[in-house]
Amino acid sequence: MDQRTRIERKFEKEKIIERDIPDLNKYISHPNVLAILGVRRCGKSTLAETLLRGRNFGYVNFDDDRLAGIKLEDLSRIEKAIYELFGEVEYFLLDEIHNVDGWELFVNRLREEGKKVVVTGSNSKLLSGELATALTGRHIDFTLYPFSFLEYLRFKGIKVEMSNDVYTTTSETNIKRELENYMKIGGFPEALKISEDMVFSIFSDIVYKDVVSRLKIKRMELFKLFAVNLLKYYSNEVSLSKLSKTLKVSINTVEEWFHGLVNSYAVITSERYTQKPREAMVSPKKIYVVDPSFISSIALDSSVGRTMENLVALRLAMRGEKLFYIKGSNYEVDFLTHGTAIQVTYASGKDEVPRREIDGLNNVRAKERIVISWDYEDVVNKVKFIPIWKFLLHP
């Protein structure tokens, strides 16, 4: 009851914005399981609560310290308590239920009994892997990210003014100024509501709650050093073997730590695109961080060009794209997605665009070639130049 009261209080007192996501209602229109996944404190619970608002649903947050140590056999007692409190509910919202070993069996039974279940979690391996095994395809995964730039503007109450599909001068100036702020503050709701300092708390929770405790890592300080160093590779290829030698940790341990951070959604990866499967397997991955605030506050980096590339990677990931990069003998392409080749460069005019960016695009077979710049827009020799703020605002 206390947890349910907190939900009502949140919607009464806090600013809740609409997220730019597909309609998830269709996935719970009949008995099914919807798993809302994503990095800790990106707004998963609020999204799930918004989805079920106005419906009679049973709610349990398993991140509550009062439920610490709960076991699978206790879940039936929780289910009974929900029925006693709220009647014969049709929906269940189970926050961070992967804290309970064997939880997927309980969720599967609820679905078989005709219930519509929404679960949230901050570990992709635990949720998608265990659900896939228990439900054999009878569930949908959706990954949520911290606020996009468009959602950030909406939260700040900044309207994008257009006239005949053209941005007004005032609106364009405001957007560029806010983009610079967004690149520093990022899109974690708590950081925007409370303070930028919340970023340190969020990162610490990811490190200790979602990786250290799940992998039972004993060398906690060394792992934190590894995590911070990994973030510094953002928008670059990362060599785990080099990190292994630098930290004097076995390659197996480094790989386990790396996958732990990927599974916690702290970083996302881009794979090398190649027609040779073995080459793809042994090629290093490029990494991007889940929110620009980690770049400015944790990695302590202020490179505009690399941050721009990270923002483009996040925008593509939010659209559900799998990330690929191309690397030839003497050229590189930042992204290849659905026949579109994309380069990112910090340029405000044609003369500022490095020749290597265009040469890279010309080496690739693609239906469309795009260069995302800071503030240059044009079409030259079938190459489309788009300012990053316009790219980020595109639906």
Side-chain angles (χ1 to χ4, degrees), residues 3 36 48 61 64 104 114 142 152 170 178 192-193 205 231 265 277 283 287 295 299 314 374 378 395:
Q3 289 181 354
I36 300 177
N61 180 1
D64 193 316
E104 66 277 9
F142 174 76
Y152 163 89
T170 305
E178 288 300 333
L192 296 173
K193 290 175 183 176
D205 275 0
L231 296 191
Y265 299 97
S283 294
I287 68 158
I295 296 172
L314 286 175
W374 178 254
D378 202 353

Side-chain angles (χ1 to χ4, degrees), residues 2-54:
D2 181 44
Q3 289 181 354
R4 190 65 175 264
T5 302
R6 289 184 189 182
I7 293 178
E8 297 306 320
R9 196 180 300 131
K10 179 196 297 185
F11 279 87
E12 288 173 7
K13 296 185 176 182
E14 295 186 18
K15 184 174 183 178
I16 309 293
I17 67 161
E18 182 181 353
R19 302 297 299 262
D20 292 322
I21 60 171
D23 180 14
L24 300 179
N25 280 288
K26 59 186 176 182
Y27 300 125
I28 53 170
S29 58
H30 51 82
N32 194 27
V33 178
L34 169 64
I36 300 177
L37 313 176
V39 69
R40 183 174 288 271
R41 288 148 81 174
C42 70
K44 300 183 298 296
S45 300
T46 301
L47 173 61
E49 291 154 9
T50 303
L51 191 65
L52 295 179
R53 194 155 174 76

Side-chain angles (χ1 to χ4, degrees), residues 270-275 316 321-326 333-343 361 364-368:
S270 176
E271 297 179 8
R272 183 178 176 185
Y273 181 82
T274 173
Q275 299 294 335
L316 294 173
E321 306 280 2
K322 184 171 174 56
L323 302 181
F324 291 98
Y325 72 95
I326 298 177
V333 175
D334 295 328
F335 301 102
L336 181 68
T337 172
H338 292 299
T340 300
I342 302 173
Q343 297 281 47
L361 291 176
V364 177
R365 286 186 180 181
K367 297 176 184 176
E368 189 175 27

